[in-house]
Amino acid sequence: MVNPRFSILSEDFAVDPYRCFAQLRDQAPVHYEPAIDSYFLSRHPDVKRVLTDHEAFTTQTLQVRAEPVMRGPVLAQMTGAEHTAKRKIVVRAFTGQALQDQIRAIHANAAELIAPFLPRGRLDLVNDFGRPLAVRVTLDVLGLDKKDWQQVSAWHSGVAEFITSIVLTPERRRHCMDCAEQLEAYLVPVIQERRRHPGEDLISRLCTAEFDGIAMSDREVTALIINVLAAATEPADKTLALLFKHLIDHPEQMAQVRQDPALLPAAIAETLRYTPPVQLIPRQAERDAVFADGTVPAGAVVFCMVGAANRDPDAFADPDAFDIHRPDLGTARSFTAAAQHLAFGTGLHQCVGAAFARAEIETVAAMLLSLLDQVRHAPGFGYRETGLYTRGPASLHVDFT
Ligand code: 2IO
């Protein structure tokens, strides 16, 4: 038995969830959390089953977890022909020529943001660089005005807090809703303008695209813009900082990646497996579901624990080691539907931005590796991660040159 007082909501778990995962998988693979009336699944095969059995486990819970701040239905809520058509519209906006243009924007943003820090020899990779970069790249992709980035960033924080919090006080809920309402009011005139004068940006594509005769309403475009804003921004700075943290902590692997940049995708894939920035994926049980360790009742909310599943010894050998050479990683597959790690989810609703995410982290990491010679932890700062739903370093102070 796991300590009966063990809780996902405890301070202990928040400080370091990774040290609890083995016990959860072994002794409570279907862990019930009474305070929030939800089930937490930690085994790789169980998580995979929940994410691929779409009949038994639906995304209905997003109606309360996301729709209020998204201001409409997101892609993950849709099913059938509508889902297929609209997913294709979004996929197109994030692959092919569109992706090539986005890589140029990523490059330009990163170069501009890093420049002032180069003479100083020190920066906080999360707060000085990663977070502003993530927001600006997303704004460029969407075709929104970068001069508004601080305002949009503040609204985004409120939206992200809503979808990623496990418990929310009525005051915080009000704050998040205010952010979402103001963001919507900012976006509606932009959408109307792009419908009249479409450009090459993502908002224009969402406004004008049609697939099998299916196009999007203003409400759907708004929801998808906020969906993309959150999904492209929230995990990006975390992944970048975690990649550098792991490479700094494993100097021999850092040296290998510097020597052979072709290893960078493996380093990114292993970072996503080892420390996925999105730790939880919610689903709702359509009917009673029996697992080896217990039953999840119909209607219950189920959280897939991606971090725990990615370290299941049934899926990866020596799972608690960071190893960019691990034979079971499958780097090329790692950013596709065939991925063994579950950082992008799996099944029908697997991340549409996986190729974009890879391009973003790869472009920026390659640039930083060549600019930040001898990058290492700056002494005296300590290291702390925050977040249960999305999780990453609170800061990452590094010295270089
Ligand atoms: C609102 C956690 C930022 C997504 C959700 C339906 C968002 C959806 C995810 C990721 C990252 C977010 N869920 N991306 O887990 O689009």
Side-chain angles (χ1 to χ4, degrees):
M1 256 292 278
V2 194
N3 177 347
R5 281 187 326 225
F6 170 83
S7 170
I8 303 266
L9 309 175
S10 67
E11 190 49 33
D12 246 30
F13 186 79
V15 169
D16 185 5
Y18 293 97
R19 67 179 173 210
C20 305
F21 288 159
Q23 242 198 1
L24 273 172
R25 279 189 313 259
D26 291 345
Q27 295 165 32
V30 183
H31 169 80
Y32 179 64
E33 203 58 63
I36 51 169
D37 190 20
S38 304
Y39 293 78
F40 287 77
L41 301 188
S42 47
R43 285 187 184 166
H44 191 279
D46 291 346
V47 168
K48 195 154 182 174
R49 168 179 159 197
V50 168
L51 295 179
T52 48
D53 188 345
H54 307 101
E55 238 85 88
F57 301 95
T58 71
T59 54
Q60 257 242 280
T61 176
L62 293 177
Q63 226 171 73
V64 291
R65 283 209 66 91
E67 202 172 324
V69 286
M70 297 287 151
R71 316 306 293 157
V74 295
L75 212 48
Q77 286 173 272
M78 301 171 189
T79 52
E82 185 200 18
H83 176 257
T84 309
K86 289 179 182 168
R87 187 178 161 101
K88 276 191 184 142
I89 296 173
V90 179
V91 167
R92 281 202 183 165
F94 276 112
T95 48
Q97 187 52 50
L99 180 58
Q100 293 315 309
D101 297 344
Q102 287 154 3
I103 292 174
R104 257 191 301 284
I106 291 164
H107 216 278
N109 278 297
E112 192 183 319
L113 269 167
I114 198 72
F117 293 96
L118 293 179
R120 300 184 204 171
R122 171 173 288 193
L123 91 158
D124 172 353
L125 214 42
V126 178
N127 300 292
D128 292 337
F129 181 77
R131 199 159 305 147
L133 176 75
V135 178
R136 288 185 205 208
V137 165
T138 307
L139 290 182
D140 263 349
V141 167
L142 287 167
L144 292 172
D145 197 332
K146 266 192 294 187
K147 76 169 167 30
D148 300 330
W149 84 271
Q150 302 230 13
Q151 179 59 75
V152 176
S153 179
W155 290 329
H156 160 262
S157 296
V159 168
E161 180 181 341
F162 187 96
I163 54 176
T164 67
S165 62
I166 309 289
V167 276
L168 204 58
T169 65
E171 293 72 36
R172 292 313 294 171
R173 195 189 154 84
R174 191 60 253 162
H175 166 79
C176 295
M177 289 302 295
D178 284 343
C179 287
E181 281 160 14
Q182 289 174 44
L183 179 57
E184 181 184 25
Y186 169 85
L187 291 173
V188 168
V190 177
I191 295 168
Q192 285 160 355
E193 159 67 20
R194 299 289 154 88
R195 284 207 194 274
R196 282 194 298 271
H197 308 288
E200 292 296 301
D201 56 275
L202 181 54
I203 295 180
S204 297
R205 286 166 195 268
L206 294 176
C207 287
T208 55
E210 253 183 62
F211 212 91
D212 292 342
I214 299 182
M216 308 222 200
S217 67
D218 280 6
R219 202 168 96 91
E220 283 170 323
V221 172
T222 301
L224 282 179
I225 293 171
I226 303 178
N227 189 175
V228 168
L229 179 66
T233 308
E234 242 317 270
D237 61 299
K238 296 172 178 66
T239 309
L240 185 71
L242 289 164
L243 169 69
F244 273 83
K245 154 95 175 131
H246 301 327
L247 290 178
I248 291 170
D249 290 346
H250 299 83
E252 61 314 323
Q253 298 186 52
M254 169 79 92
Q256 289 159 352
V257 173
R258 282 191 184 282
Q259 247 265 302
D260 179 6
L263 287 173
L264 193 49
I268 298 167
E270 176 64 347
T271 296
L272 290 170
R273 181 199 70 84
Y274 190 62
T275 48
V278 179
Q279 292 271 323
L280 299 173
I281 302 178
R283 288 292 185 265
Q284 189 166 314
E286 183 66 20
R287 43 180 179 267
D288 290 3
V290 180
F291 293 87
D293 172 71
T295 297
V296 169
V301 171
V302 177
F303 283 100
C304 295
M305 302 183 76
V306 178
N310 278 357
R311 291 186 185 213
D312 190 332
D314 278 352
F316 294 98
D318 195 8
D320 292 319
F322 178 83
D323 177 9
I324 65 173
H325 303 293
R326 61 171 54 253
D328 46 10
L329 185 60
T331 302
R333 280 183 288 132
S334 289
F335 304 93
T336 73
Q340 167 84 337
H341 74 75
L342 299 170
F344 292 122
T346 188
L348 225 42
H349 299 297
Q350 189 177 28
C351 180
V352 279
F356 173 81
R358 174 188 169 162
E360 178 173 15
I361 304 300
E362 212 179 314
T363 303
V364 178
M367 179 187 282
L368 292 186
L369 282 172
S370 81
L371 287 175
L372 311 184
D373 209 21
Q374 314 269 321
V375 62
R376 61 200 177 272
H377 290 298
F381 283 100
Y383 176 80
R384 187 169 62 87
E385 292 182 1
T386 57
L388 292 181
Y389 198 113
T390 53
R391 185 176 182 85
S395 61
L396 190 69
H397 296 268
V398 296
D399 284 344
F400 50 91
T401 65

